[in-house]
Amino acid sequence: MATIAEALAIAFDHHQTGRYDEAELLYRRILDADPEQAQALHLCGLLVAQLGRLEEADGLLTRAAAAAPLAADPRVNHGKVLRALGRPGEAVRRFRHAVALNPALVEAQDGLGHAERERGDPAASARGFGRAAVSGGGAAIFYHWGLALETAGQPGAAVSALRRSAELDPEAGAVPARLGTLLHGMGRTEDAAPWYRRALTLRPAHNEVLHNLAVIARGAGRHDEAVRGFSAAARLHPDREDARRDLFAALLDLGRARNAARQPEAALDAYEQALAIDPMDVAVADALALTLFELGRFEDARRAYRRVVVLDPAAFAAHYNGALASKNLGAIAEAMTGLRAATRLSDEPWVHSTRLTTLLLLADLDNATLADEIDGWRNRFGRTLSSPVAPNPALTRPALGGRPLRVGYVSGYLHPGNRLLDQVGPLLRAHDRSRVVPLVYGNLPFAAPAFDRLRGFADGWCDTRAMSDDELADRVRADGVDVLVCLIGHTSGQRMGLFTRRAAPLQVSYYGMHATGVDAMDVWLTDPVLHPADSTERFTERLVRLPHLFLFEPPARRGAGWLPAPPCATLGRVTFGSFNLDAKVNQRVVALWSALLHAVPGSRLMLKSRGAGLAGEEGRVRMAAAFARHDIGGDRLLLVPPAASHEEHLRLHERVDIALDPFPYGGCLTSFDALSMGVPVVTLAGERFIGRMTASLLHSLGEPGWVAHSEEDYIAKAKSLAEDPHRLAAIRMVLREKMTTSPLCDATSHAQSIEAVFCMV
C-alpha cells in the first residue's frame, strides 16, 4: 500500500498534468486518512480554487494554514483566494502573515500590494510592491509598483518604476503606454511621445495611445499629424463621441493653420471634413464660408453664409460677409438685405457706412432713398458730441495775424501704391506754405521707410492706429488744426466718428461720394458738374463749388514715338471697354451695353474688374450669362482678370478703342486712366455726385460732347465714335497731352482754389 507521501506525489502529478478529477480524488482520500494533512489541504485548496470553487477553497486553505502555522505558502494562496472572493481586508492579513514568516517571499509582497490597492490604500500598496521589487520582482511587479506610486501621488517615483519594468520586459505593450500617459499627465509631452510610439509598435491598434499622441501633436501645432492620429482613433471606435469630437476640433485647427499659412484650398478640405462630422457647428461653417469668400468663390461663399445664418440668425459676420459676397456677384439688392440685418446686430459705425456705400450700387436708387439712408446714419452716429471747439464759420483771413492755416487731412489711404495718393499728393505738394501748413492723419505706419518719399508732401504725419476717435480729436486740437478735411467719406477704414467730435473750427468733406450725415461737417467740396444748380441730391453740408473738383498726377509721358493707333485700325472692328468694378455692371448697364454692341456690328466689349469678380471662372460665367440674356454671345466679350500691376492695367487700354462708363455708380480713377491712355470715355450723367464723376472729368478736359444725358444719347455718342476710326486715331494722338495741360493736372491752380475756400468760408 502507498504511503501518504507517495499518494501526494501521484496526486500532484495528476494536478500538474490537468487530470483534475483524479488529483482531487487522491487529495480527498489522503484527507480521509489524515484530515489535518497540511500539504494535502493546501494542494486540494489550490485545485478547487482553480476549478472556481472559491468558498470551498477558502475553507481548505484556512485548515491548511492552521495545520502548518510556520508555512508561508498556504497563507499566500489563501490571500489570493480571498482577493478573488472580494475580501481584500482578510487577504491583507494573510499576506502580512506570510511576509512575517518569510520576508523575502516576493509572491507574498506582491499579493500584499494588490490587496492593499483593492481595499483602497495606495500608499500601503506601493510599499508592498516596492518590497516585492527590491526582493527580486520582475517586470510585472515593477509595473504594478509604478501604478501604485502614481495613485499614491508620487509620479516621479512611478516613472522610475515603470522605466525599470520596460527594461525588464521590452515587449510588454501596457508598460510604455502607461508610462507615456503618466509623463503626458505631468506635462512632459516631449518625453511621453517616444513611449507612446513604442507602445504603438507593440500594439498598433491601441486607441488611447493613438488619441494621446494626437493630443500632443495638436498641442505642438502639428495639425496634420493630429488629424491622422484622431482619425485612426475614431476609426477604431466609431461609436465614441469624444473621438469624433476630438477629430472635429483637430480638423478645425488644421483648417485655421492652413489658412494662416496661405493654403486656403487645403483649409477648405479640412473644414469640409469637419462639417461632415458636425453639420450643425457654426464655427466651422463660418470658417468654410470665409475661406470661400477669400478665395473669390463668391457664389459658394454666398451659399455657405446662408447656411451659417440658418444655424445662427444672430451671426453678425455671416450677414455682413454674405452681403459682401452678394455684392461681388452684382446681387446688390440681396447684399442690402444682408447689410440691413448686419446693422441691426452691430452698433459699429463702419458697418452702417458699408451699407451706405453699397446702396450706391443699386441700379434703381433714387436721391430720396439715399437721403433717407444718410439720415438714418446721422440719427444713429452723426450727431455732434460735446467739444471744446466751437464751429467758426467766420474763419476769415486767419493768416492776417501772420499765421498760415493749419489743415489736417484725414485718411487711411494716403500710402504708396494707393491711387488716392495720386489725387491728394499733388495738392499737398502744391500748397502755398505761407498760407497752408498741411498735416496728415491716418491709420498707417508713417514712420516706416516706405513713406520716406512722401515725407516732404506734408509738414506732419500722425499714425492714428492706436488712437480712439476721442484721443485723435484731442491730438487734432493740440496740433492747432484750423481746417479738418475728410477724404473719401464713408469708405472702409475712415474716421467719420472723429468729425462728430468737432475737432476743428472748420470741417470739410473732400472727395466724399455723398453727403456725410455728420452734423458737424460744414462744407462739401464739389463743382458745377457734380452738383449743377438743379441737383436734387440732398445734404446738410454747405456746398462749395470749386471750378474743378478732381486733381491727378499727370500721366507718365511715353517716348516721343509713342502714338499707337486705336486697335480698330488693325483689327477692323471696334473694341469697347470698361475696367470698372464689376459690381457696377448692373442689369441696366448690361442691357444698354448689349444694345450698343447690337448697334455696332462686329464690335466687342472688353471687361476687366479691379475687384475679384472676374478673377475666376465663376465670375466670368456669370457675366457672360448676363449678356447672353440680351443675345450677346461669348465671342463678343473679352473678360479679363485683374491686372497684376498698375502698369499692366494701363497697357490693357491699348486694346480698347472706346471706354464705357457704368451707371448709376460711375467711374473716376478708371475713367482718368482710360483718358490718360488716349481712350475716349462715354458716360451717362446721373442724378448725384457718384453718377457724374466722369462727366466732371470730361468737362475739365474740355470734352463735354462725350457726356450723354439719356440712354439713347449714350448709344448715339458711342456709336458715333465707333464709326469714325480717323477721329479715334486723332483723339489718341492728342488726348494724353491734353490731359496733362488741363485743369485735371493743374495742381497749382487747384491748391489756390481750395486755399481760397479754406480762408474765406
Side-chain angles (χ1 to χ4, degrees):
M1 182 176 178
T3 65
I4 287 178
E6 290 171 338
L8 275 172
I10 295 170
F12 187 63
D13 181 64
H14 290 327
H15 191 164
Q16 284 187 310
T17 55
R19 300 193 296 274
Y20 299 132
D21 290 343
E22 293 92 330
E24 183 177 359
L25 179 62
L26 282 176
Y27 288 144
R28 295 292 183 184
R29 287 178 179 175
I30 293 169
L31 290 174
D32 287 341
D34 184 357
E36 302 305 317
Q37 216 293 325
Q39 192 171 4
L41 288 167
H42 182 198
L43 293 173
C44 189
L46 288 179
L47 176 61
V48 297
Q50 284 178 264
L51 296 174
R53 289 148 46 196
L54 297 179
E55 294 291 350
E56 188 177 347
D58 175 28
L60 288 167
L61 291 171
T62 298
R63 289 168 57 196
L70 299 180
D73 287 345
R75 288 164 175 79
V76 170
N77 289 322
H78 192 193
K80 292 178 181 179
V81 169
L82 290 168
R83 282 183 58 219
L85 285 168
R87 291 150 60 185
E90 296 176 50
V92 164
R93 290 193 293 273
R94 300 299 185 274
F95 288 127
R96 284 177 178 170
H97 197 168
V99 168
L101 293 170
N102 185 359
L105 185 59
V106 171
E107 197 173 6
Q109 299 284 14
D110 180 47
L112 181 60
H114 285 292
E116 293 284 18
R117 183 192 68 234
E118 288 160 3
R119 74 168 190 155
D121 190 341
S125 174
R127 287 193 296 272
F129 286 126
R131 293 191 188 104
V134 171
S135 299
I141 290 176
F142 275 94
Y143 173 70
H144 288 296
W145 186 22
L147 298 185
L149 288 167
E150 180 184 358
T151 306
Q154 302 178 58
V159 168
S160 297
L162 290 170
R163 286 184 187 275
R164 181 57 180 155
S165 176
E167 291 172 3
L168 292 171
D169 185 1
E171 300 302 315
V175 179
R178 190 64 219 170
L179 188 50
T181 302
L182 176 58
L183 290 165
H184 193 176
M186 295 168 68
R188 294 167 57 181
T189 54
E190 293 304 314
D191 293 331
W195 288 106
Y196 281 143
R197 286 191 282 270
R198 178 171 169 179
L200 286 179
T201 63
L202 298 170
R203 183 183 162 193
H206 198 306
N207 179 270
E208 291 302 322
V209 170
L210 284 167
H211 178 273
N212 291 342
L213 264 177
V215 169
I216 291 175
R218 184 184 176 198
R222 300 192 300 273
H223 302 294
D224 286 283
E225 181 183 337
V227 166
R228 288 194 298 272
F230 286 130
S231 296
R235 283 194 298 272
L236 288 172
H237 290 282
D239 56 331
R240 282 185 55 173
E241 182 57 33
D242 61 334
R244 289 167 53 83
R245 186 173 60 250
D246 287 333
L247 175 57
F248 172 86
L251 285 165
L252 185 55
D253 286 346
L254 177 60
R256 289 168 174 162
R258 286 174 169 173
N259 262 335
R262 297 185 180 181
Q263 300 172 0
E265 294 288 356
L268 278 182
D269 179 62
Y271 292 143
E272 286 167 351
Q273 290 184 60
L275 208 57
I277 294 173
D278 186 356
M280 305 301 289
D281 187 88
V282 176
V284 72
D286 184 68
L288 175 67
L290 180 60
T291 304
L292 289 165
F293 182 89
E294 291 174 342
L295 280 168
R297 292 171 53 180
F298 298 121
E299 187 59 56
D300 291 335
R302 178 166 63 169
R303 285 193 295 269
Y305 276 124
R306 286 173 182 164
R307 176 178 193 163
V308 178
V309 168
V310 169
L311 294 173
D312 182 5
F316 159 74
H319 289 290
Y320 184 80
N321 291 336
L324 296 186
S326 296
K327 179 179 176 180
N328 277 287
L329 291 167
I332 307 304
E334 182 177 336
M336 288 302 301
T337 299
L339 288 171
R340 289 188 185 101
T343 53
R344 287 193 294 270
L345 294 167
S346 173
D347 286 324
E348 291 291 341
W350 60 268
V351 178
H352 297 252
S353 291
T354 301
R355 174 172 158 176
L356 277 179
T357 55
T358 302
L359 182 76
L360 300 175
L361 291 163
L362 281 175
D364 56 354
L365 177 66
D366 58 68
N367 284 340
T369 301
L370 175 59
D372 288 344
E373 288 281 348
I374 294 171
D375 285 343
W377 194 95
R378 180 196 317 282
N379 293 333
R380 195 160 183 178
F381 307 108
R383 300 305 183 189
T384 304
L385 303 179
S386 59
S387 165
V389 178
N392 184 7
L395 186 66
T396 59
R397 307 182 184 280
L400 285 178
R403 179 178 68 80
L405 280 172
R406 294 177 68 80
V407 179
Y409 290 91
V410 182
S411 177
Y413 291 136
L414 294 178
H415 59 84
N418 190 280
R419 301 297 307 284
L420 180 61
L421 190 62
D422 292 342
Q423 296 180 263
V424 179
L427 171 62
L428 294 175
R429 294 196 306 270
H431 270 313
D432 181 348
R433 294 308 199 265
S434 70
R435 303 184 73 192
V436 167
V437 174
L439 309 169
V440 175
Y441 301 87
N443 295 340
L444 292 164
F446 290 128
F451 289 85
D452 288 347
R453 184 180 66 83
L454 311 184
R455 208 80 63 207
F457 286 23
D459 290 44
W461 298 80
C462 178
D463 179 354
T464 64
R465 287 176 296 174
M467 296 183 187
S468 67
D469 285 340
D470 285 326
E471 291 168 336
L472 180 52
D474 289 341
R475 170 62 184 269
V476 170
R477 294 174 192 129
D479 288 345
V481 171
D482 300 298
V483 182
L484 194 62
V485 181
C486 175
L487 292 169
I488 313 297
H490 284 268
T491 51
S492 176
Q494 299 311 295
R495 285 275 196 165
M496 299 306 295
L498 168 65
F499 293 87
T500 66
R501 278 126 175 110
R502 176 57 75 178
L506 180 64
Q507 300 193 139
V508 177
S509 174
Y510 182 32
Y511 290 156
M513 293 177 287
H514 52 72
T516 62
V518 174
D519 283 348
M521 193 69 73
D522 303 302
V523 168
W524 184 5
L525 293 179
T526 182
D527 67 26
V529 177
L530 292 162
H531 284 111
D534 61 351
S535 173
T536 61
E537 190 165 7
R538 282 167 38 190
F539 43 84
T540 57
E541 302 87 348
R542 176 182 171 185
L543 285 189
V544 174
R545 293 178 175 87
L546 301 173
H548 309 276
L549 178 67
F550 292 107
L551 174 69
F552 302 90
E553 288 280 9
R557 294 181 180 273
R558 297 271 187 146
W562 184 77
L563 290 174
C568 63
T570 54
L571 295 177
R573 59 181 176 182
V574 168
T575 301
F576 298 104
S578 178
F579 295 172
N580 285 271
L581 185 70
D582 61 303
K584 295 181 180 182
V585 184
N586 56 59
Q587 290 304 314
R588 282 184 60 201
V589 172
V590 170
L592 183 61
W593 288 355
S594 296
L596 174 60
L597 291 172
H598 285 304
V600 181
S603 60
R604 298 185 303 174
L605 174 62
M606 175 185 284
L607 296 177
K608 179 187 74 67
S609 173
R610 62 178 174 82
L614 298 179
E617 184 65 20
E618 179 184 274
R620 293 192 287 272
V621 168
R622 176 180 56 81
M623 186 64 75
F627 280 91
R629 287 192 283 273
H630 298 275
D631 297 323
I632 298 296
D635 59 322
R636 305 285 299 277
L637 299 175
L638 300 170
L639 303 179
V640 182
S645 66
H646 183 58
E647 290 71 21
E648 181 183 321
H649 160 74
L650 291 176
R651 283 197 302 272
L652 283 170
H653 289 86
E654 297 174 7
R655 300 170 58 187
V656 175
D657 294 291
I658 303 163
L660 303 177
D661 193 35
F663 56 88
Y665 193 152
C668 181
L669 278 165
T670 44
S671 296
F672 175 82
D673 288 339
L675 295 168
S676 72
M677 294 299 291
V679 180
V681 182
V682 177
T683 187
L684 175 60
E687 298 178 351
R688 52 191 161 271
F689 183 104
I690 54 100
R692 302 178 68 87
M693 294 185 291
T694 298
S696 174
L697 300 186
L698 294 175
H699 277 268
S700 296
L701 185 59
E703 293 290 352
W706 299 342
V707 180
H709 297 282
S710 68
E711 293 187 6
E712 294 76 14
D713 190 26
Y714 188 104
I715 292 177
K717 290 182 183 300
K719 186 171 183 289
S720 175
L721 284 168
E723 291 174 344
D724 193 343
H726 296 295
R727 183 182 174 197
L728 290 175
I731 290 171
R732 215 169 184 95
M733 289 180 66
V734 302
L735 194 53
R736 177 187 291 266
E737 189 62 31
K738 187 175 182 179
M739 287 196 67
T740 302
T741 58
S742 76
L744 292 172
C745 299
D746 187 351
T748 301
S749 295
H750 191 76
Q752 290 171 352
S753 66
I754 284 186
E755 289 164 6
V757 172
F758 291 165
C759 291
M760 301 304 295
V761 169

